[in-house]
Amino acid sequence: MKCLITFVALLLMFANIAEANDNNVTLFMCEGCNYDEAYQLAKDNPPLTQCYSSDPNEIITIDNQVCYTTPKKVIVADLLGKEHFAFMVRHHNQGSSKLYLNKYAESISLNTNDKTAILRLKTTFKNFSTFLKEMQTEISASPLKVSQYTSLNMTSPNTADSCPSHITDAVKAVLEGRTASQLQNRLNNKAKTDFKYPERFFLAKEFSSEGFSIGVGGILYQGTWEKVSKNFNTRVRFTQNQEAPLSGTSQYDVVFSVKWIKEFGALSVSVNPYLTYLDGITLNQLKTTSINTVDQCLQDALDQTLPSNTSPPSSGGGDCWDNQVCEKHYYINEVKILTIKVSC
């Protein structure tokens, strides 16, 4: 009897949440998408499943599980036009095993809050892109300084190794943090100068190249740019002097992602590890793998910037390491940040 009462209680609890909780809405932006594309995107983003044992005295298994989902509202909006689609994504066979839950999407109408959120997002997209393009022009005219005496894009012979200074500049810009801080300061100063109240210009809670969130009428709309094919430029890119005498110097490109955070009323800046290249290798790869052999100038720049140690070859070798490869590890605050391959 106790088990029956518990089971009935579960049914009543999920019956009460049969309607979607509209406080959180998933919002995807696309470019020129049609209804079929929007429907499939909504269906591919179903609500989370919650499963319980039909008998609270038993461990949950495939045989005794009962599963439920709360309907999820998904909007697919066209960044370029006015063709927007809204769906309620649900599952058939509520209260059955997870194996028998079938997802489906029902077309619904956009309400006033939905339309306001889409408009604010498109407006912020336009404002943010324009703002960053202007900032890029200003940076090109007046480069950020990596240190007190050198700036990115400035080249001069390295007396020790004849390495162009942009390599050291790029490494310092990526790993020391001062360049990102300078950029962040200039961005926020520009925002305050251009608009007395930046939050009235950037109409989102958070907004970056990765995603966004916008609050309207107590509802939070969140999403990503994964279905926007154009390059959404929320970064400021630095490159070396294209007239540098050494070959291969175009392999250095430092990219900063810019993010608006309404809570702080400010823009934040961080290095984008996927778009930043050092010696033609992405920063993300340098940080996550140890298979990389890099140019000697990059190794010298890393040695000037970070403490390091070298691991002996795994095969041993005693004093005969001339033809072997070792791993060299670099650290920030005693935490290993990246690894390269070097001659032992």
Side-chain angles (χ1 to χ4, degrees):
M1 185 65 177
K2 180 180 178 182
C3 293
L4 178 60
I5 293 174
T6 303
F7 182 63
V8 172
L10 282 173
L11 290 178
L12 290 174
M13 177 180 68
F14 284 98
N16 290 333
I17 60 172
E19 293 304 318
N21 180 0
D22 282 347
N23 289 335
N24 290 279
V25 176
T26 298
L27 173 58
F28 289 104
M29 301 305 293
C30 66
E31 289 182 317
C33 54
N34 57 37
Y35 176 85
D36 290 339
E37 293 170 329
Y39 174 85
Q40 191 60 50
L41 180 57
K43 190 177 176 182
D44 289 341
N45 288 273
L48 296 176
T49 303
Q50 295 177 310
C51 295
Y52 305 86
S53 171
S54 59
D55 184 345
N57 296 318
E58 295 180 357
I59 297 175
I60 187 171
T61 65
I62 293 294
D63 295 327
N64 70 9
Q65 69 178 192
V66 290
C67 300
Y68 303 87
T69 60
T70 303
K72 176 182 179 181
K73 186 173 183 178
V74 178
I75 297 174
V76 182
D78 187 359
L79 184 66
L80 302 179
K82 298 180 180 180
E83 192 72 13
H84 311 311
F85 308 96
F87 303 90
M88 197 65 72
V89 187
R90 307 175 186 269
H91 283 94
H92 288 299
N93 303 323
Q94 295 281 332
S96 63
S97 170
K98 188 175 183 179
L99 297 173
Y100 301 109
L101 291 178
N102 297 318
K103 61 186 178 181
Y104 67 102
E106 295 177 330
S107 181
I108 60 174
S109 299
L110 293 169
N111 61 36
T112 301
N113 286 332
D114 300 335
K115 295 176 182 178
T116 299
I118 294 170
L119 178 60
R120 289 182 182 178
L121 184 62
K122 293 173 69 173
T123 300
T124 303
F125 181 98
K126 180 180 179 180
N127 292 346
F128 203 64
S129 298
T130 300
F131 174 78
L132 288 176
K133 288 178 182 178
E134 292 176 356
M135 188 73 242
Q136 178 67 69
T137 300
E138 294 180 19
I139 292 294
S140 298
S142 178
L144 296 169
K145 293 192 177 296
V146 177
S147 67
Q148 185 177 356
Y149 303 105
T150 62
S151 62
L152 276 162
N153 302 336
M154 182 186 299
T155 57
S156 60
N158 181 301
T159 55
D161 304 299
S162 297
C163 292
S165 65
H166 76 264
I167 295 178
T168 300
D169 285 351
V171 169
K172 289 182 177 294
V174 170
L175 300 173
E176 286 192 338
R178 282 178 287 186
T179 306
S181 295
Q182 290 181 61
L183 174 58
Q184 183 170 297
N185 183 54
R186 286 178 63 168
L187 281 165
N188 282 302
N189 284 340
K190 175 177 172 59
K192 292 177 182 177
T193 300
D194 290 2
F195 347 101
K196 187 175 181 180
Y197 302 102
E199 62 273 13
R200 296 180 185 175
F201 191 77
F202 306 126
L203 303 176
K205 285 179 171 291
E206 291 190 357
F207 201 92
S208 71
S209 57
E210 289 75 38
F212 54 82
S213 64
I214 288 182
V216 179
I219 301 172
L220 184 63
Y221 296 80
Q222 299 182 87
T224 68
W225 302 102
E226 60 182 287
K227 296 300 178 181
V228 177
S229 59
K230 67 185 294 186
N231 178 26
F232 182 53
N233 182 15
T234 58
R235 59 187 187 259
V236 178
R237 174 174 291 174
F238 298 93
T239 56
Q240 73 294 332
N241 189 327
Q242 298 300 322
E243 298 177 356
L246 297 183
S247 62
T249 53
S250 61
Q251 299 296 301
Y252 291 84
D253 200 3
V254 183
V255 179
F256 294 98
S257 289
V258 183
K259 183 176 185 179
W260 165 253
I261 306 176
K262 184 177 182 180
E263 179 184 0
F264 304 114
L267 296 153
S268 68
V269 171
S270 60
V271 176
N272 187 314
Y274 302 98
L275 297 178
T276 291
Y277 286 82
L278 298 176
D279 192 29
I281 305 171
T282 66
L283 180 61
N284 182 64
Q285 184 181 6
L286 282 170
K287 286 186 172 184
T288 57
T289 69
S290 59
I291 61 173
N292 307 291
T293 301
V294 302
D295 181 78
Q296 184 62 48
C297 284
L298 174 56
Q299 183 180 333
D300 291 346
L302 290 170
D303 290 341
Q304 294 175 33
T305 307
L306 298 176
S308 64
N309 62 38
T310 304
S311 302
S314 56
S315 60
D319 296 328
C320 303
W321 290 0
D322 292 345
N323 297 317
Q324 298 195 55
V325 175
C326 292
E327 290 187 349
K328 191 168 188 177
H329 312 286
Y330 292 90
Y331 299 83
I332 294 179
N333 297 327
E334 300 183 352
V335 175
K336 184 168 66 175
I337 193 67
L338 57 87
T339 299
I340 64 173
K341 296 288 189 180
V342 296
S343 298
C344 297

